[in-house]
Amino acid sequence: MRIAVTGASGKLGRSVVRRLREDGHQVTGLDRAGVRGPGFTQVDLRDYGQVVDVMLGLDDRHGGFDAVVHLGAIPAPGIMADAATFENNILSTYNVFQAARRAGVKNVVYASSETVLGLPFDVDPPYIPVDEEYPARPESTYSLVKHLEETMARELVRWDPALSITALRFSNVMDPEDYEGFADFQDDATLRKWNLWGYIDGRDGAQAVAKALERSVPGFEAFIIAGEDSVMNKPSRDLAAEVFPDVRVVKDLGEHETLLSIDKAKRLLGYAPEHSWRSVPPERLVPTEG
């Protein structure tokens, strides 16, 4: 396929572009910054004119796209002022969705977020492992935007029954070099309770994107995308009992099983995580002094 990837220069974007190109797709990265070249176009996603123009075609580069992967955003709360986060992210997503529709693109996969599940879980989750079945519980401006984006996607596919929009609720994205820092929070379960001790290797995140593009079923669907395991050495059932003693655990948990349920992604996407921080040699997992 001819695929546009917004946010191609970001942490997840780099893994996604690499995976899709390895799979044989023709990929154009769209971002405000990045390595200039035949596979990259500088675009300000806040400017609808630029977005729809590049979706329709680009001189000397392409004549349009078969699919769009939208990852471009301010990637977390607190990086910028709340109002700036709201304006940038909701406007960029509207522009990408609308431009894709105007260009006749029917296959859109985009980055939603684990934050819509209720992070940082200062209010207990309704049950553990959490899944896609309960209503969104945004607790920050960043998360509110993600919820509004999912709502917008649901309405757009209602307007256009042939349109497929897939929201991937990514957990905390990690590159292999990040795993050495996991030793820093092993002695205090509360340090990572904010996302139920979840994470996603960027390479597995890219796999989920590739699987979602292949599925491309008309309508809207949301999937939690996390690793198979938690970020902790302590067993998952013990983590839940220690930090969320009043929350019902709805299944028998594997020793280090993720508390961000990926059962739906496995069932409908064929998602199968291949990477874990536990593959890092123990001598490299040393707590940071101070």
Side-chain angles (χ1 to χ4, degrees), residues 205-254:
Q207 179 206 145
V209 169
K211 297 283 190 182
L213 287 167
E214 292 170 4
R215 181 174 181 266
S216 186
V217 174
F220 172 81
E221 203 69 72
F223 299 93
I224 295 171
I225 304 297
E228 288 269 18
D229 58 345
S230 78
V231 300
M232 304 294 286
N233 285 320
K234 182 175 288 189
S236 296
R237 58 184 174 276
D238 294 344
L239 292 169
E242 175 186 343
V243 181
F244 298 102
D246 299 323
V247 177
R248 179 169 55 102
V249 178
V250 298
K251 64 178 291 188
D252 292 330
L253 295 169

Side-chain angles (χ1 to χ4, degrees), residues 160-240:
D160 183 354
L163 177 63
S164 172
I165 302 182
T166 304
L168 301 180
R169 295 175 173 180
F170 289 109
S171 188
N172 189 196
V173 178
M174 298 289 178
D175 287 333
E177 55 267 29
D178 297 322
Y179 293 146
E180 296 179 23
F182 279 28
D184 290 343
F185 42 76
Q186 295 300 327
D187 293 334
D188 184 352
T190 64
L191 293 177
R192 289 281 307 200
K193 71 92 181 174
W194 53 268
N195 77 336
L196 298 184
W197 308 281
Y199 77 107
I200 177 68
D201 188 290
R203 294 164 293 182
D204 286 329
Q207 179 206 145
V209 169
K211 297 283 190 182
L213 287 167
E214 292 170 4
R215 181 174 181 266
S216 186
V217 174
F220 172 81
E221 203 69 72
F223 299 93
I224 295 171
I225 304 297
E228 288 269 18
D229 58 345
S230 78
V231 300
M232 304 294 286
N233 285 320
K234 182 175 288 189
S236 296
R237 58 184 174 276
D238 294 344
L239 292 169

Side-chain angles (χ1 to χ4, degrees), residues 49-258:
Q50 292 186 40
V51 180
V52 74
D53 190 35
V54 77
M55 290 291 176
L56 290 168
L58 191 65
D59 291 348
D60 301 323
R61 297 290 175 87
H62 70 86
F65 297 107
D66 304 305
V68 173
V69 177
H70 175 44
L71 309 175
I74 296 170
I79 295 175
M80 297 183 68
D82 290 340
T85 298
F86 185 94
E87 180 180 17
N88 182 89
N89 289 3
I90 197 68
L91 183 59
S92 296
T93 298
Y94 173 80
N95 287 346
V96 170
F97 285 0
Q98 183 73 344
R101 292 179 63 235
R102 296 299 189 213
V105 177
K106 300 297 185 182
N107 188 359
V108 178
V109 175
Y110 82 100
S112 185
S113 168
E114 64 181 358
T115 61
V116 302
L117 300 168
L119 276 66
F121 295 114
D122 291 335
V123 176
D124 285 354
Y127 47 80
I128 290 174
V130 297
D131 58 21
E132 299 89 349
E133 298 304 313
Y134 65 92
R137 301 170 61 179
E139 300 288 357
S140 66
T141 297
Y142 172 84
S143 182
L144 176 61
V145 172
K146 292 299 184 182
H147 172 52
L148 294 175
E149 289 172 352
E150 290 191 4
T151 302
M152 175 167 55
R154 288 185 175 92
E155 297 306 318
L156 293 179
V157 300
R158 181 176 62 84
W159 294 357
D160 183 354
L163 177 63
S164 172
I165 302 182
T166 304
L168 301 180
R169 295 175 173 180
F170 289 109
S171 188
N172 189 196
V173 178
M174 298 289 178
D175 287 333
E177 55 267 29
D178 297 322
Y179 293 146
E180 296 179 23
F182 279 28
D184 290 343
F185 42 76
Q186 295 300 327
D187 293 334
D188 184 352
T190 64
L191 293 177
R192 289 281 307 200
K193 71 92 181 174
W194 53 268
N195 77 336
L196 298 184
W197 308 281
Y199 77 107
I200 177 68
D201 188 290
R203 294 164 293 182
D204 286 329
Q207 179 206 145
V209 169
K211 297 283 190 182
L213 287 167
E214 292 170 4
R215 181 174 181 266
S216 186
V217 174
F220 172 81
E221 203 69 72
F223 299 93
I224 295 171
I225 304 297
E228 288 269 18
D229 58 345
S230 78
V231 300
M232 304 294 286
N233 285 320
K234 182 175 288 189
S236 296
R237 58 184 174 276
D238 294 344
L239 292 169
E242 175 186 343
V243 181
F244 298 102
D246 299 323
V247 177
R248 179 169 55 102
V249 178
V250 298
K251 64 178 291 188
D252 292 330
L253 295 169
E255 185 177 11
H256 297 118
E257 182 176 348
T258 178

